[in-house]
Amino acid sequence: NAPIGYDMRSLWAVEKSALGLNAVTFTPFNYPPTCRLIVCGLAKLPYLFSLAVWSAAGFLLYLWVILAIVPDTPNTVWLAVMR
């Protein structure tokens, strides 16, 4: 039931029951629905592997943008890594 993921009352109730305590602050999941496809796929993996996949994907996207900005410099990859 996708719309219930954006119902703040039900989401807060699920967060409180998952944490087992009375949460003072509420942290909604304000990402677009397409982001849930990625998050649900990563949630099925072990945590450290999922973290490695997420970090590597972010770094590769970052590197892709750097290479698009500065395409012909031989040290572009090192510039991106050392930044």
Side-chain angles (χ1 to χ4, degrees):
N1 191 0
I4 203 165
Y6 292 97
D7 179 29
M8 299 305 160
R9 288 187 182 136
S10 64
L11 189 58
W12 195 3
V14 169
E15 282 187 13
K16 286 199 285 188
S17 68
L19 294 175
L21 52 91
N22 291 329
V24 177
T25 60
F26 174 62
T27 55
F29 189 79
N30 289 328
Y31 293 96
T34 53
C35 184
R36 288 183 184 257
L37 295 173
I38 298 168
V39 172
C40 287
L42 289 174
K44 295 179 188 253
L45 300 173
Y47 175 73
L48 290 178
F49 184 71
S50 178
L51 177 64
V53 168
W54 183 259
S55 299
F59 177 72
L60 290 174
L61 286 172
Y62 169 73
L63 188 60
W64 179 51
V65 169
I66 294 296
L67 288 172
I69 294 171
V70 189
D72 294 330
T73 305
N75 294 325
T76 303
V77 174
W78 290 114
L79 174 68
V81 171
M82 300 308 282
R83 178 77 170 113

